[in-house]
């Protein structure tokens, strides 16, 4: 790659079900982007959680027929992997400087510019949700909406900091060992999915274990280090004026943080959806629970499931057509407790 915006496009349709991988060189290293769909359509950018990529973080959602028909009919999907998290990634050279959360957010801008994208819809899970929120705060003119799953917005708590340091040490000395996998599965899934002595581990958790085996420990450590050094962005959330839809599993270790974020954002622009008996990774554990809220959310942009809207959308999304009441829990058919009540109880 000759320059900072060069890329090599690799045809991997048999692996990515019709998608194509592009390796985009940025100021902070090479980023793998899987592009799926008609590039004339509006863009949906995804960013996964720690140690995951689009196959292990968003496959459940896109394999859910109703959700897939809603998203793939309306968007061209751009799955961005954290550096070194793509399938078949080699270990990143230890001498390369480790990116910060800011660097990862700036990489997204470089990816958008490479593909010639203007304004985009964003979907992220936990660490990925933080990166996309930070990107939206830095480049508000490039983001029309955020769909965030178990998002982070504060600096790590003492308990999270401790666990992150422990995982980092284990990765350094033992690689992606069984103990690290257990910590990560606790981060992702509810107790029911993880199983116990009486209940066997679910197929979802077993598949995730196998996919974690493919991660290079040094690459995971770099992303973990960036997230562990993340600053608190709560004070800047009020400035976000794009519509934001937040999903949180009631068994997620980041439950209180998601509630805090929803309470801090302008209530006219944000809706919080709590998913019962679910961990952080709603996209894999209960993707069907995301359908109705997303459907109402996207209706505000004039985007519908194909059974309701037969033509393929090819014009830029227009934020001016969103009515704030579309994001109210009542309009979504949801019964939510007041956020203030949940916050005070946390």
């Amino acid at each position: 790659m000759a320059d900072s915006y060069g890329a090599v496009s690799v045809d991997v349709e048999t692996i990515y079900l019709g998608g194509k991988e592009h390796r985009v060189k940025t100021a902070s290293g090479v980023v793998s982007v899987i592009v799926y769909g008609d590039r004339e359509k509006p863009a949906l950018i995804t960013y996964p959680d720690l140690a995951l990529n689009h196959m292990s973080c968003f496959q459940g959602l896109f394999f859910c027929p109703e959700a897939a028909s809603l998203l793939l009919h309306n968007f061209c999907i751009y799955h961005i992997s954290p550096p070194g998290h793509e399938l078949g990634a080699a270990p990143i050279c230890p001498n390369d400087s480790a990116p910060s959360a800011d660097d990862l957010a700036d990489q997204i801008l470089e990816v958008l510019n490479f593909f010639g994208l203007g304004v985009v819809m964003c979907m992220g899970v936990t660490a990925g949700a933080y990166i996309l929120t930070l990107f939206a705060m830095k480049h508000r003119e490039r983001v029309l909406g955020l769909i965030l799953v178990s998002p982070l917005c504060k600096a790590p708590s003492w308990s999270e900091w401790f666990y992150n340091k422990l995982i980092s040490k284990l990765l350094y000395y033992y690689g992606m060992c069984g103990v690290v996998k257990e910590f990560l599965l606790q981060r992702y899934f509810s107790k029911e999915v993880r199983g116990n002595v009486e209940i066997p581990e679910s197929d979802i958790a077993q598949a995730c274990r196998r996919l974690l085996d493919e991660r290079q420990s040094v690459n995971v450590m770099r992303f973990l280090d960036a997230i562990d050094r993340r600053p608190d962005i709560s004070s800047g959330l009020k400035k976000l004026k794009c519509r934001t839809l937040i999903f949180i599993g009631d068994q997620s270790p980041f439950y209180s943080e998601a509630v805090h974020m929803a309470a801090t954002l302008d209530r006219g622009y944000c809706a919080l959806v709590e998913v019962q008996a679910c961990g952080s990774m709603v996209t894999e554990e209960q993707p069907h629970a995301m359908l109705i809220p997303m459907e109402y959310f996207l209706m505000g942009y004039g985007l519908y499931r194909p059974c309701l809207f037969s033509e393929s959308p090819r014009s830029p999304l227009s934020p001016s057509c969103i009515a704030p009441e579309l994001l109210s829990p009542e309009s979504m058919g949801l019964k939510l407790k007041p956020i203030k009540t949940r916050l005070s109880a946390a």
Side-chain angles (χ1 to χ4, degrees), residues 140-207:
R140 284 177 283 175
E141 75 284 357
R142 304 297 289 270
V143 178
L144 284 176
L146 291 168
I147 301 173
L148 307 177
V149 181
S150 307
L152 307 173
C153 66
K154 297 189 287 187
S157 64
W158 281 107
S159 59
E160 185 192 346
W161 177 87
F162 174 79
Y163 274 103
N164 288 347
K165 292 301 181 187
L166 180 57
I167 291 172
S168 184
K169 291 293 184 184
L170 289 168
L171 285 168
Y172 181 81
Y173 288 107
Y174 303 104
M176 188 60 72
C177 62
V179 177
V180 171
K181 289 180 193 173
E182 286 300 327
F183 279 135
L184 291 173
L185 290 179
Q186 289 175 26
R187 176 187 179 97
Y188 305 148
F189 299 120
S190 66
K191 293 185 236 180
E192 290 78 8
V193 168
R194 300 197 309 271
N196 53 43
V197 291
E198 297 178 353
I199 304 173
E201 190 174 67
S202 71
D203 292 341
I204 298 174
Q206 290 177 20

Side-chain angles (χ1 to χ4, degrees), residues 14-29:
T14 56
I15 299 177
Y16 298 118
L17 304 176
K20 183 173 288 189
E21 181 184 30
H22 299 259
R23 296 183 64 79
V24 181
K25 188 176 181 182
T26 73
S28 300

Side-chain angles (χ1 to χ4, degrees), residues 119-134:
V119 290
V120 298
M121 188 71 69
C122 296
M123 178 187 294
V125 177
T126 312
Y130 177 90
I131 299 299
L132 290 176
T133 304
L134 183 59

Side-chain angles (χ1 to χ4, degrees), residues 44 46 57-58 60-62 64 66-68 70-71 122-125 146-150 245-249 273-276 278-298 305 332 334:
L44 172 65
T46 75
C57 194
F58 297 103
L61 178 64
F62 283 91
C64 178
E66 296 86 357
L70 173 67
L71 297 174
C122 296
M123 178 187 294
V125 177
L146 291 168
I147 301 173
L148 307 177
V149 181
S150 307
L245 179 60
I246 298 176
F247 293 93
I248 182 64
V273 180
E274 180 183 315
V275 182
Q276 301 294 321
C278 188
S280 297
M281 199 154 41
V282 184
T283 50
E284 290 295 314
E285 192 168 342
Q286 293 197 36
H288 55 277
M290 300 177 65
L291 176 63
I292 293 176
M294 284 197 305
E295 194 162 5
Y296 277 94
F297 180 74
L298 295 177
R305 289 169 64 187
M332 291 181 177
L334 302 167

Side-chain angles (χ1 to χ4, degrees), residues 71-330:
L71 297 174
L72 298 177
H73 174 72
N74 288 294
F75 294 103
C76 180
I77 314 299
Y78 295 78
H79 292 298
I80 302 177
S81 291
H85 282 53
E86 67 273 14
L87 290 175
I92 298 174
C93 178
N95 294 329
D96 292 351
S97 58
S100 65
D102 268 305
D103 293 331
L104 296 176
D106 290 339
Q107 280 186 333
I108 296 172
L109 179 63
E110 294 184 72
V111 168
L112 266 56
N113 290 340
F114 170 77
F115 287 107
L117 302 176
V119 290
V120 298
M121 188 71 69
C122 296
M123 178 187 294
V125 177
T126 312
Y130 177 90
I131 299 299
L132 290 176
T133 304
L134 183 59
F135 170 73
M137 292 172 63
K138 297 178 72 172
H139 305 283
R140 284 177 283 175
E141 75 284 357
R142 304 297 289 270
V143 178
L144 284 176
L146 291 168
I147 301 173
L148 307 177
V149 181
S150 307
L152 307 173
C153 66
K154 297 189 287 187
S157 64
W158 281 107
S159 59
E160 185 192 346
W161 177 87
F162 174 79
Y163 274 103
N164 288 347
K165 292 301 181 187
L166 180 57
I167 291 172
S168 184
K169 291 293 184 184
L170 289 168
L171 285 168
Y172 181 81
Y173 288 107
Y174 303 104
M176 188 60 72
C177 62
V179 177
V180 171
K181 289 180 193 173
E182 286 300 327
F183 279 135
L184 291 173
L185 290 179
Q186 289 175 26
R187 176 187 179 97
Y188 305 148
F189 299 120
S190 66
K191 293 185 236 180
E192 290 78 8
V193 168
R194 300 197 309 271
N196 53 43
V197 291
E198 297 178 353
I199 304 173
E201 190 174 67
S202 71
D203 292 341
I204 298 174
Q206 290 177 20
C208 188
R209 280 184 188 277
R210 291 192 293 271
L211 290 168
L212 287 174
D213 281 329
E214 300 174 6
R215 298 283 80 76
Q216 298 288 346
S217 57
V218 65
N219 301 354
V220 176
M221 286 170 57
R222 289 166 63 89
F223 190 24
L224 178 59
D225 179 64
I227 295 303
D228 203 35
R229 293 183 288 118
R230 70 182 186 269
D232 190 323
I233 57 174
S234 300
S235 61
L237 293 177
K238 284 288 186 185
K239 298 176 183 177
L240 273 182
K241 298 303 179 185
C242 63
R243 307 297 174 184
T244 303
L245 179 60
I246 298 176
F247 293 93
I248 182 64
D250 66 350
Q251 293 186 29
S252 168
F254 307 107
Y255 177 88
S256 61
E257 187 140 352
V259 172
H260 167 77
M261 183 173 186
T264 306
L265 284 162
D266 189 322
R267 292 296 300 276
Y269 292 89
C270 176
L272 173 67
V273 180
E274 180 183 315
V275 182
Q276 301 294 321
C278 188
S280 297
M281 199 154 41
V282 184
T283 50
E284 290 295 314
E285 192 168 342
Q286 293 197 36
H288 55 277
M290 300 177 65
L291 176 63
I292 293 176
M294 284 197 305
E295 194 162 5
Y296 277 94
F297 180 74
L298 295 177
M299 279 182 188
Y301 296 92
L303 301 176
Y304 301 85
R305 289 169 64 187
C307 60
L308 301 175
F309 187 73
S310 58
E311 297 180 10
S312 176
R314 293 176 179 270
S315 59
L317 302 178
S318 172
S320 60
C321 66
I322 303 176
E325 58 268 26
L326 281 176
L327 287 178
S328 68
E330 294 79 11

